[in-house]
Amino acid sequence: MRAGPSGRGARGRWPRCRRAARQRCRRPGGPRRLGEVEPATDTPAPVVVIPRGGAWGERVAASARQRGLDPRVVPLITTEPPLDVAPLDRAVARVAGYAWVVVTSATAVTVLAERVAGLPSGVRVATVGEPTARAARAAGWVVDLVPDQASAAGLVAALPGTDGTVLFPRSEIAAPTLVDGLRARGIDVDDVVAYRTVGTGDEPITLDAVPDAVLVTSGSVAREIARRMTPLDPRTLVACIGPGTAADARAAGLPVHVVGPTRSAEALLDAVVEALNPTVPEQEGHP
């Protein structure tokens, strides 16, 4: 990977930021308010690669800026319709007959919401975690279940028993954990490919600065980073959104330096800030 001069000194020399409810940053004259322009400094903000574009990429980039980071949106993956849309069309036509709609990604919510004006009142909704739940609520859905454990296995364990059929619209490359787990419990699942996750190209990624961190938000992102961005600079932190994605990253040959505490981009960005600029405990009697 070619990278031009970044002008960056040793890692950790950018202005120290402490995570707080208002994401304040210390500076002369008082705390910086959210949205206030950061005064010019000699040290550039740390560069972080955002691996997806679109509305998701814009939202995460804005969150990165609020944390004093310099986001570079580099779309490595995108979504396309399934090669055979007939199963999805059939599921949409009979959506009122499902007991539950179970979704494990915001993309699945978007795909289904684009085809269904609104879910019938008798259809309950379960999501794998709060980020997916937010997407479902934004689509106008009532979310009935978000498991404490934000994983497919956690959703399998938390879903109540039902005699009805569960609709699971998913990515073509989704792991079988949820489907196999529900069927093992005797629950009927309509397992439907709603979209395909594909790479955006084959050419190597070239940036004008060595990134301080690259976000890894899925196994497919990990594989695209390994395919198009390696070898990574030794100074670049590989930050994964959860333990499952971290395992996928290692399987793709990437080192893992940061693992987010929860499956949200915001929590992952907080973990990146902490890793780039660890807080040194203040001792009594010392400034």
Side-chain angles (χ1 to χ4, degrees), residues 80-125:
E80 292 185 358
L83 295 176
D84 180 7
V85 298
L88 180 60
D89 289 339
R90 288 194 295 269
V92 168
R94 62 179 293 242
V95 69
Y98 292 109
W100 287 85
V101 172
V102 174
V103 283
T104 56
S105 72
T107 302
V109 173
T110 301
V111 170
L112 194 58
E114 287 175 347
R115 290 169 167 261
V116 179
L119 292 179
S121 59
V123 179
R124 304 179 71 185
V125 174

Side-chain angles (χ1 to χ4, degrees), residues 7 29 46 58 86 88 92 97 99-100 104 107-108 134 142 151 167 243 246 263 276:
E58 293 174 4
L88 180 60
V92 168
W100 287 85
T104 56
T107 302
R134 286 197 297 269
V142 175
S151 68
L167 172 62
R263 287 190 59 84
L276 289 175

